[in-house]
């Protein structure tokens, strides 16, 4: 596949970005299984998200199971997503590894398979200094100038909280165009927004688009959209038009299921890739499938929490679908009902061909 030249700039990174799971086949929990990407379920979910209004697609973050995929599965996933999206919105792929050289090698594979950009956190095996983390991004950007880069700020996973000054420095690198803020520290979030100004798009958890977009955040990232995107779309739209009263009300609705999580944050973080997939399946908008080894033994409390969350989100999604439909804002669902039941999965004859590189 011919590599594209990066043309994305920070202003292209606005709106609502969908983070998708690595949809898995029924045997994915088997340690001997190979080729466990359910390409039919993946293309169905990604196509539906794009048609329903997502502004970008991101794969293989923490909940996207970058840490449990084989190299072949990783290639299959990227090729499936890129060819399903087919240029309708930008596609970013997670490229976090344990060292700079492996991240560069992974980024070059991503470029070969036709994605628009990469999302990467600093190497995570040992704690990083800010200076070394900044150098990591500079080296990555220089090695793959054809790709746009999204910085992945995730203190839990990467054992470092980059300060606003680091983002100010990295905002001067041409192909560093976005920052995914997983940090819940509002001072770090606002500080980053002010530090980068219009030179880098800051994306926050969708539930925090209000109030972060009041301070200049470009939009939000979301896994919840894989359970039905309409609450997040409604919040995006309210923030973009500056209707902060409406935005505050929607954000409160979206945060309600998380407030009844029933788990400590440590319990949630430890099981998050399995937790999200259970929640997605419970909501029914898409089909995520089982988590992969070593995440095989999932406590009942985690399963119950995820199912409860997915069902509550599906109910909220239904209400927002109806209100958006009444206002003429909702495109037709990509095959199937908006009520949360899974959309029909494309058969082999309608699947887009995968890249020959896989």
């Amino acid at each position: 596949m011919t590599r594209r030249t990066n043309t994305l700039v920070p202003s292209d990174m606005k709106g609502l970005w969908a983070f998708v799971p690595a949809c898995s086949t029924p045997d994915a929990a088997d340690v001997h299984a190979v080729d466990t990407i359910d390409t039919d379920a993946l293309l169905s979910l990604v196509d539906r998200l794009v048609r329903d209004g997502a502004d970008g697609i991101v794969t293989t973050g923490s909940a996207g199971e970058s840490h449990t995929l084989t190299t072949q599965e990783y290639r299959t996933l990227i090729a499936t997503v890129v060819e399903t999206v087919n240029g309708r919105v930008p596609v970013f792929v997670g490229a976090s590894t344990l060292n700079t050289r492996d991240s560069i090698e992974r980024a070059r594979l991503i470029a070969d398979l036709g994605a628009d950009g990469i999302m990467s956190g600093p190497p995570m095996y040992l704690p990083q200094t800010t200076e070394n983390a900044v150098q990591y991004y500079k080296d990555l950007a220089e090695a793959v100038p054809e790709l746009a880069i999204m910085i992945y700020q995730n203190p839990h996973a990467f054992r470092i909280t980059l300060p606003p000054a680091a983002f100010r420095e990295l905002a001067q690198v041409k192909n560093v165009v976005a920052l995914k803020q997983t940090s819940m520290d509002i001072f770090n979030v606002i500080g980053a927004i002010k530090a980068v100004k219009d030179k880098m798009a800051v994306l926050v958890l969708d539930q925090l688009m209000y109030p972060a977009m009041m301070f200049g955040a470009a939009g939000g990232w979301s896994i919840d959209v894989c359970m039905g995107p309409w609450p997040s779309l409604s919040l995006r739209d309210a923030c973009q038009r500056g209707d902060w009263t409406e935005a505050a009300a929607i954000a409160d609705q979206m945060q309600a299921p998380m407030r009844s999580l029933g788990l400590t944050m440590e319990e949630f973080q430890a099981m998050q890739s399995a937790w999200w997939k259970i929640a997605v399946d419970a909501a029914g908008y898409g089909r995520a499938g089982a988590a992969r080894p070593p995440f095989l033994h999932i406590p009942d409390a985690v399963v119950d929490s995820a199912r409860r969350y997915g069902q509550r989100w599906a109910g909220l999604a239904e209400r927002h679908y109806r209100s958006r439909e009444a206002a003429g804002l909702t495109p037709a669902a990509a095959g199937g009902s908006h009520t949360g039941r899974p959309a029909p999965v494309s058969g082999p004859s309608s699947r887009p061909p995968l890249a020959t590189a896989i």
Side-chain angles (χ1 to χ4, degrees):
M1 181 177 291
T2 302
R3 292 189 188 180
R4 65 184 69 195
T5 300
N6 172 49
T7 58
L8 292 176
V9 295
S11 59
D12 296 319
M13 306 297 293
K14 296 178 179 178
L16 181 64
W17 287 68
F19 279 60
V20 298
C23 301
S24 50
T25 54
D27 65 343
D30 185 344
V31 72
H32 301 294
V34 295
D35 298 328
T36 67
I37 300 296
D38 186 335
T39 54
D40 288 333
L42 180 63
L43 74 85
S44 179
L45 175 60
V46 169
D47 180 65
R48 194 175 190 191
L49 284 165
V50 173
R51 288 209 256 167
D52 280 342
D55 296 298
I57 298 291
V58 185
T59 74
T60 55
S62 302
E65 296 181 284
S66 61
H67 49 295
T68 61
L69 298 178
T70 67
T71 300
Q72 181 62 34
E73 289 168 341
Y74 185 71
R75 295 169 71 98
T76 299
L77 185 148
I78 298 169
T80 302
V81 172
V82 168
E83 296 197 19
T84 300
V85 172
N86 194 27
R88 290 176 290 173
V89 298
V91 172
F92 278 64
V93 178
S96 301
T97 73
L98 298 182
N99 64 79
T100 304
R101 291 179 297 171
D102 277 347
S103 292
I104 289 173
E105 182 178 347
R106 183 162 280 197
R108 286 174 175 157
L109 170 63
I110 291 166
D112 287 341
L113 292 174
D116 300 283
I118 55 174
M119 179 184 72
S120 184
M124 67 189 81
Y125 186 75
L126 296 174
Q128 291 290 318
T129 65
T130 297
E131 182 180 25
N132 282 330
V134 168
Q135 187 62 51
Y136 166 78
Y137 285 111
K138 289 181 176 180
D139 291 341
L140 193 57
E142 182 179 1
V144 284
E146 65 272 36
L147 290 175
I149 293 176
M150 180 186 297
I151 297 171
Y152 187 3
Q153 168 88 306
N154 186 333
H156 178 86
F158 301 111
R159 305 175 68 181
I160 182 173
T161 301
L162 292 172
F167 302 127
R168 182 182 298 112
E169 182 175 352
L170 288 169
Q172 308 310 311
V173 180
K174 183 178 180 181
N175 54 326
V176 177
V177 300
L179 162 63
K180 178 198 176 186
Q181 267 285 15
T182 304
S183 173
M184 298 294 108
D185 179 354
I186 192 65
F187 294 104
N188 185 279
V189 172
I190 295 173
I193 293 168
K194 292 183 176 180
V196 303
K197 298 186 168 98
D198 61 349
K199 295 184 180 298
M200 190 188 300
V202 178
L203 302 174
V204 300
L205 177 66
D206 59 345
Q207 297 179 14
L208 299 180
M209 285 191 286
Y210 173 85
M213 289 180 71
M214 292 180 69
F215 294 96
W221 59 269
S222 179
I223 306 166
D224 285 340
V225 293
C226 297
M227 296 179 277
W230 301 290
S232 303
L233 291 169
S234 295
L235 180 55
R236 176 202 65 184
D237 294 350
C239 290
Q240 286 181 339
R241 66 176 181 265
D243 187 345
W244 303 119
T245 300
E246 178 69 9
I250 298 170
D252 186 65
Q253 294 169 8
M254 290 169 61
Q255 292 160 13
M258 188 60 74
R259 290 195 293 265
S260 62
L261 195 63
L263 301 173
T264 67
M265 190 50 62
E266 283 301 313
E267 289 171 327
F268 171 75
Q269 292 281 8
M271 291 286 173
Q272 64 170 297
S273 55
W275 188 96
W276 281 115
K277 297 187 88 172
I278 295 166
V280 168
D281 285 352
Y285 178 86
R287 188 176 70 234
R292 297 174 175 84
F295 300 97
L296 305 180
H297 303 288
I298 313 301
D300 290 343
V302 173
V303 174
D304 292 343
S305 169
R307 287 176 177 164
R308 184 171 62 249
Y309 187 94
Q311 291 163 0
R312 290 194 66 183
W313 185 272
L316 180 63
E318 168 73 12
R319 295 196 298 274
H320 277 273
Y321 180 93
R322 292 296 186 190
S323 63
R324 292 176 66 81
E325 182 181 47
L329 296 174
T330 303
S337 170
H338 59 271
T339 59
R341 295 190 295 274
V345 177
S346 303
S349 62
S350 61
R351 280 177 49 183
L354 299 183
T356 56
I358 66 172

